[in-house]
Amino acid sequence: MSGASETRSPKPGALNGFEETVKDFWVSRPRRPYAGRKVAGVAAGIGQRYGIDPVVVRIALVVATIFGGFGLTFYLLAWLFLPGESDEVSGFEGLIGRGRSSVSPAFAIVLMILAVVFAAGAFAGSWFDGGGLIGFALIATALYLLHRSRGHENRPLPVTPRPSSTPFTGNGAFTMTDTAEAKSPAQGWDPLAADPAGWDLPDAPPEPPPAPSAPAHHAPGRRPRSKVGSATFGLAVLTAGGGVLANLNGASWFSAQHIVGLVLGVVGIGLVTGAFARGGRGLIGLAVPLAIAGMVLTTTPFQDFDFRGGIGDITESPRTTAEVQPVYQHAAGDIDLDLTKVAAGAPYTTTVTNGAGDTKIIVPQTADVTYDCSTAAGDARCFGRSTDGISQPALTGTDYGTDGPGGQQITLHVTTTAGSVEVRRG
């Protein structure tokens, strides 16, 4: 057999099972290159590894982010677990001390936190209607099939770890290390086989005067690392967190688009400061997606999204009019409100507001219900009437039930930013 056939890595085939393919993927996982990257080099690394256009990878991640939200989560995880082009290990492995990585431990922790936050949002839906789960399955399947078919190609070369000490090399005929022992003339070693007393050697030249100290210069082609980027990033995170907390405490002005605008303003100030301080160029990678997010939030129905109300499912079944809350508000999750068990009494009004999720309200058969139902993105079905799509007009009217006017008077205001709305009789 030739040397090439002996060193070439085997192609994953039918004899390799799922476990072997996953292990081989981890061992030969893509590396994030410096050339051709837009943010962290994830799409460029996957494209180079499996011989596909990185633009296709970027489009797939954008689609997965829009429909389900897992595309952004995957990008953050890949940034954390895929090593850089010249790194020994990934950012996560560097965090736990497995080797050298260009991702600092502090930034690796930030990536982990962001990945957990976005993953929680992507998997907020139920098992079957969660777009995040579908995106995760599609991305995982695509990577598995790519590695099965092209895993033997373009395998990255391992990065040699930096040596702890550099051995001393002589004239090429032999090598001496710091552990080598050499005998001194006092121990009887004479390389010329002559009496040392008879050697006539010239005197050593006088030492030259010390040269004046020159100002320190940085390596050519490399700029000194500036703290503008790190300081701006930290301030941007604090601004976003403060805006969300203010919204949760009732400051309705701090909506999603306003928070993005404030963070973008902080990043802009950092970019201007960095232009004078010769730093902060990495903030461009943060400013671009923020600008896109701000544009989307101000031109789509999601601009009215509210963070208040918590996350999860709400199931309520009041029995008296006093138990009916005037407002049911939720940030994300499903709301099920059953009003069929409320004893007849004085007229009452309730408002149901949901940020993202499905909202279902059931009213008695004989109640006289005045309603307005709307959803910014999704479908609304109220007493046999329906709308579907984005920015559709609200469904309004009064439904008297099966017995006509004269029943319990109920007024409903139902709004959902993203999800479905259903109001029907039980």
Side-chain angles (χ1 to χ4, degrees):
M1 294 188 295
S2 63
S5 62
E6 293 176 357
T7 60
R8 185 176 182 181
S9 300
K11 175 181 178 180
L15 297 178
N16 298 109
F18 175 81
E19 183 178 357
E20 289 79 5
T21 304
V22 172
K23 288 181 178 179
D24 187 70
F25 170 81
W26 176 257
V27 172
S28 63
R29 62 191 185 276
R31 289 185 171 271
R32 298 180 290 105
Y34 295 111
R37 64 166 56 183
K38 300 301 181 183
V39 180
V42 172
I46 295 175
Q48 291 181 11
R49 176 67 176 89
Y50 298 110
I52 57 179
D53 193 339
V55 176
V56 177
V57 181
R58 295 186 182 108
I59 293 175
L61 292 178
V62 170
V63 172
T65 300
I66 296 175
F67 299 98
F70 188 76
L72 184 56
T73 304
F74 173 81
Y75 196 95
L76 294 173
L77 291 174
W79 195 343
L80 184 63
F81 287 99
L82 297 185
E85 189 175 37
S86 59
D87 294 346
E88 295 174 7
V89 295
S90 64
F92 178 80
E93 292 168 301
L95 177 64
I96 61 178
R98 294 290 182 85
R100 175 180 55 84
S101 174
S102 59
V103 178
S104 65
F107 191 66
I109 294 175
V110 172
L111 289 176
M112 291 175 62
I113 295 174
L114 292 176
V116 170
V117 171
F118 285 109
F123 295 112
S126 62
W127 182 266
F128 292 102
D129 63 0
L133 180 64
I134 298 175
F136 166 76
L138 291 176
I139 292 176
T141 302
L143 285 177
Y144 178 81
L145 295 178
L146 279 174
H147 195 77
R148 291 280 292 184
S149 60
R150 304 185 182 186
H152 61 292
E153 302 174 353
N154 305 322
R155 297 178 71 88
L157 297 176
V159 176
T160 305
R162 292 178 178 177
S164 57
S165 60
T166 305
F168 171 75
T169 304
N171 58 5
F174 62 94
T175 301
M176 292 180 61
T177 64
D178 55 355
T179 58
E181 297 182 359
K183 295 182 179 180
S184 64
Q187 295 174 310
W189 178 69
D190 185 5
L192 301 180
D195 184 7
W199 295 352
D200 187 9
L201 300 176
D203 295 334
E207 293 185 1
S213 58
H217 293 281
H218 297 280
R222 296 188 62 182
R223 294 183 176 181
R225 181 171 295 181
S226 173
K227 296 182 180 180
V228 174
S230 300
T232 303
F233 182 80
L235 186 58
V237 172
L238 292 176
T239 302
V244 173
L245 290 176
N247 182 281
L248 294 175
N249 287 318
S252 58
W253 184 87
F254 287 92
S255 59
Q257 68 270 27
H258 287 157
I259 294 175
V260 172
L262 289 174
V263 175
L264 188 59
V266 171
V267 174
I269 294 174
L271 287 171
V272 174
T273 305
F276 292 96
R278 296 181 177 272
R281 297 181 63 184
L283 294 174
I284 298 176
L286 180 61
V288 172
L290 280 175
I292 296 175
M295 181 180 63
V296 171
L297 287 173
T298 54
T299 57
T300 63
F302 300 102
Q303 56 184 310
D304 295 326
F305 185 85
D306 201 324
F307 296 98
R308 289 174 291 176
I311 297 176
D313 295 336
I314 292 180
T315 301
E316 295 287 342
S317 181
R319 296 183 177 273
T320 64
T321 56
E323 293 179 1
V324 179
Q325 300 180 21
V327 177
Y328 295 90
Q329 189 170 24
H330 212 39
D334 296 338
I335 298 178
D336 291 330
L337 180 59
D338 187 359
L339 301 176
T340 59
K341 299 178 182 179
V342 178
Y348 62 88
T349 301
T350 185
T351 299
V352 182
T353 303
N354 198 353
D358 298 333
T359 302
K360 181 172 64 176
I361 302 174
I362 304 177
V363 298
Q365 289 284 349
T366 59
D368 299 342
V369 182
T370 301
Y371 61 91
D372 59 85
C373 306
S374 64
T375 177
D379 61 285
R381 299 183 300 276
C382 296
F383 302 106
R385 303 171 60 192
S386 64
T387 61
D388 188 12
I390 297 177
S391 299
Q392 296 295 321
L395 298 175
T396 60
T398 300
D399 191 275
Y400 296 105
T402 56
D403 62 341
Q408 172 71 54
Q409 296 181 12
I410 303 174
T411 302
L412 296 177
H413 306 287
V414 187
T415 59
T416 296
T417 304
S420 64
V421 172
E422 180 183 10
V423 179
R424 62 179 178 84
R425 297 187 181 274

